[in-house]
Amino acid sequence: DVTLDDVVNILDVVNLVQAILGLEELDDNQMCNADINEDGIINILDVVGIVQAILGNRGIDATEIQIFNNENSVSIESNGYIGAVQMTLSHGEDFSIELTDDAFIADYNTKGNTTTLMIVAPESKELFTTVGNFEIVETLAANSNDYVDVVNPEAISLGSAYPNPFNPTTSFELSVGNAGHVTMNVYNVMGQVVETLVNNTMDAGNYNITWDATNFSSGMYVVKAETVNGLASQKVMLVK
């Protein structure tokens, strides 16, 4: 009960988020009530604790979150429920930001060339859009009760093909770390391109790509995904 009104609701979350971001000061009684996990500090874990009390169980907790920076927008992918995301951004004076509306609460505080933001219980992948360049200095994320691992994907990566060996289709998890042109080709053992799976501009994010090898003969093939920033490849076995 951060607001000391004997009711736990969204106003308590708003007050706590604003206090963490430096937009509001809490008195001693409010600080005591805000420290949900009783660790002596107020932070993102206290926020998700209050949200859990208000909204209840929202599903399986995430253990990992991926952050994708698409130049002027930032989005996330996770393997479960995310209770809150907190970021610190560094930027120039010509910077402005618009947070997603699709969240329990979203707020930020800008001081000079630094912006700190928090998005509570995001319901969409996109967290915010900006005008002006920025750098993500720090990211904290929590599920319903604890911190989760934060991953900033490499320029490009390929998850293990499944199934492999396969007949006649197999799928790949393609992770694009930076928006740009992506090619994904299939090569035979002679190094010749036999199929192009992707050849276009893609936003940063995760994609599921399927290769249908119905018209190809059994054997070993190499799948390569490439951008100007990197290359990922793996071998697959077609067995008919």
Side-chain angles (χ1 to χ4, degrees), residues 33-69:
N33 285 0
D35 186 12
I36 303 300
N37 60 3
E38 299 180 343
D39 62 358
I41 56 175
I42 58 168
N43 56 27
I44 191 173
L45 296 183
D46 298 303
V47 173
V48 298
I50 295 182
V51 172
Q52 182 75 357
I54 295 171
L55 300 181
N57 188 3
R58 303 298 304 279
I60 299 174
D61 277 337
T63 58
E64 178 183 286
I65 183 174
Q66 292 179 299
I67 307 295
F68 296 98
N69 186 351

Side-chain angles (χ1 to χ4, degrees), residues 2-58:
V2 182
T3 58
L4 305 179
D5 61 358
D6 295 325
V7 179
V8 177
N9 55 28
I10 190 173
L11 296 181
D12 297 294
V13 185
V14 170
N15 278 24
L16 179 52
V17 169
Q18 290 181 339
I20 293 172
L21 296 180
L23 293 168
E24 182 176 330
E25 291 188 8
L26 303 180
D27 62 30
D28 291 343
N29 289 332
Q30 289 177 304
M31 287 286 289
C32 182
N33 285 0
D35 186 12
I36 303 300
N37 60 3
E38 299 180 343
D39 62 358
I41 56 175
I42 58 168
N43 56 27
I44 191 173
L45 296 183
D46 298 303
V47 173
V48 298
I50 295 182
V51 172
Q52 182 75 357
I54 295 171
L55 300 181
N57 188 3
R58 303 298 304 279

Side-chain angles (χ1 to χ4, degrees), residues 125-191:
K125 293 182 179 181
E126 185 176 274
L127 297 184
F128 60 85
T129 57
T130 69
V131 174
N133 296 326
F134 66 92
E135 178 185 353
I136 300 175
V137 177
E138 182 183 42
T139 302
L140 300 174
N143 51 37
S144 66
N145 60 77
D146 202 358
Y147 290 109
V148 301
D149 292 333
V150 177
V151 177
N152 293 299
E154 301 172 358
I156 195 164
S157 64
L158 271 178
S160 298
Y162 182 82
N164 188 26
F166 70 100
N167 178 32
T169 62
T170 187
S171 297
F172 309 81
E173 184 78 9
L174 173 66
S175 292
V176 180
N178 300 294
H181 191 267
V182 178
T183 59
M184 186 172 174
N185 294 318
V186 181
Y187 296 79
N188 61 20
V189 292
M190 303 296 293

Side-chain angles (χ1 to χ4, degrees), residues 34 71 82 99 106 109 114 117 127 129 143 155 159 185 196 208 221-222:
E71 295 183 357
I82 294 294
L99 304 183
N109 184 21
T114 300
L117 64 95
L127 297 184
T129 57
N143 51 37
N185 294 318
T196 296
N208 187 267
Y221 295 86
V222 178

